[in-house]
Amino acid sequence: MHFKRFLDIKPEISNLFIVFINNKVLYDLNEKTFLLNSSYLNFNNFNFKKIGIAEDNGIKIYVIDLSNESFNFADQGYQSLVEYDLRYLMTILSEENLSLVGRANQLLHYLKSSKHCGYCGSIMEFDSDEEAMFCTCNNVMVYPRISPCVLALIKKDNQILLARNALFPEGLYSALAGFIEISETAEETVKREVFEEVSLKVNNINYYSSQAWPFPSQLMLAYTCDYKSGEIKVDGKEIIEAKWFDIDNLPNTPPNSTLSGRLINSCILDR
Ligand SMILES: [Zn+2]
């Protein structure tokens, strides 16, 4: 599998399509796949938004967006198509497939958000050598953007700090998270975010692992750190609750398919 970006498409040959409709991904329950063969799909036209995202043994893989198209489920060669939320797919796919469907979501977002030049407002062209959107006004090349974020898991003796984000479902706790600021190192972000969100100071910041997070285009960098000083005081906006939990008695945490889930579990295994 080679990751590439391309716009050209030959409808007369078989391609593989990852199909998005209103932010949901089409999945065939019989074949257990989101990679749909274009020969088995029936379209009125090929005017939908599309971008090639990879090539596998000469077969091109595209992500396409049918949100504004008429697509008749009964007319398709696949008999058991359902629409799945990307977050649900994350819990059932292998790491390789997750990477591919995540890439599809990110590049679809790139295609939709890079239509006009940010300098002059003209419609941008696709440069196939650079695999990026291009405008002649300032020789601007716009590549897909990734936003780096940190996850911070604070340790204190036999306890870890877990928090509830205002957007979390009831009862779910996770590590702290935040976007890296312009000019900041990831370790500086860990210190700043921890202080902003729960008023604690930390040290011994150690890198754990990373994960592409396609909602829509983050790269999560996970760190562990040690409690240094301070009393927990949540910011009340992003974080509504934070407390120390014994490693032996943790609340509901994210699944192992997510980096935050693996980061939290690494502390249990580390003991
Ligand atoms: Zn321009």
Side-chain angles (χ1 to χ4, degrees), residues 116-124 134-140:
H116 295 275
C117 171
Y119 288 93
C120 72
S122 303
I123 301 258
M124 292 206 281
F134 178 74
C135 184
T136 51
C137 73
N138 281 307
N139 285 338
V140 186

Side-chain angles (χ1 to χ4, degrees), residues 1-8 51-63 100 103-104 107 110 126 128-132 144:
M1 173 93 60
H2 296 288
F3 282 169
K4 294 177 168 183
R5 299 185 291 269
F6 46 92
L7 289 192
D8 58 304
I51 181 167
I53 63 166
E55 196 172 332
D56 193 14
N57 287 324
I59 294 174
K60 291 187 170 176
I61 302 173
Y62 295 81
V63 53
L100 191 63
R103 178 176 169 80
L107 286 181
Y110 166 64
F126 186 78
S128 53
D129 290 333
E130 287 296 316
E131 303 183 2

Side-chain angles (χ1 to χ4, degrees), residues 31-225:
E31 303 285 334
K32 292 191 171 51
T33 188
F34 61 89
L35 278 173
L36 305 178
N37 191 310
S38 62
S39 319
Y40 301 142
L41 294 173
N42 193 13
F43 303 112
N44 295 329
N45 60 59
F46 264 68
N47 295 333
F48 42 74
K49 284 195 179 69
K50 54 198 166 281
I51 181 167
I53 63 166
E55 196 172 332
D56 193 14
N57 287 324
I59 294 174
K60 291 187 170 176
I61 302 173
Y62 295 81
V63 53
I64 70 173
D65 185 4
L66 299 181
S67 300
N68 297 318
E69 310 295 325
S70 58
F71 181 79
N72 190 342
F73 280 68
D75 266 357
Q76 310 301 324
Y78 291 94
Q79 298 303 309
S80 53
L81 287 175
V82 292
E83 294 167 278
Y84 275 156
D85 194 273
L86 191 56
R87 284 179 191 271
Y88 173 69
L89 272 181
M90 285 193 75
T91 63
I92 62 168
L93 295 182
S94 68
E95 214 152 287
E96 189 187 358
N97 280 333
L98 190 57
S99 158
L100 191 63
V101 78
R103 178 176 169 80
N105 189 48
Q106 299 193 36
L107 286 181
L108 191 56
H109 175 72
Y110 166 64
L111 186 71
K112 289 178 179 175
S113 61
S114 309
K115 189 174 172 192
H116 295 275
C117 171
Y119 288 93
C120 72
S122 303
I123 301 258
M124 292 206 281
E125 302 282 333
F126 186 78
D127 184 298
S128 53
D129 290 333
E130 287 296 316
E131 303 183 2
M133 304 301 279
F134 178 74
C135 184
T136 51
C137 73
N138 281 307
N139 285 338
V140 186
M141 201 68 78
V142 176
Y143 298 91
R145 290 187 192 90
I146 297 168
S147 305
C149 295
V150 299
L151 291 172
L153 186 68
I154 314 168
K155 300 178 184 180
K156 182 185 171 196
D157 302 321
N158 200 39
Q159 295 183 313
I160 56 175
L161 185 126
L162 296 176
R164 275 186 32 74
N165 188 293
L167 303 172
F168 282 3
E170 188 65 38
L172 181 73
Y173 290 79
S174 189
L176 299 174
F179 283 95
I180 295 180
E181 200 29 77
I182 299 282
S183 86
E184 220 173 30
T185 66
E187 289 79 3
E188 286 167 345
T189 309
V190 169
K191 286 188 178 179
R192 178 182 54 76
E193 281 288 339
V194 167
F195 191 73
E196 283 176 7
E197 293 187 349
V198 294
S199 285
L200 299 182
K201 297 208 165 167
V202 293
N203 57 14
N204 296 331
I205 298 163
N206 284 306
Y207 177 70
Y208 170 66
S209 183
S210 66
Q211 181 182 39
W213 190 248
F215 303 103
S217 282
Q218 279 98 279
L219 175 68
M220 308 303 287
L221 304 166
Y223 290 84
T224 59
C225 53

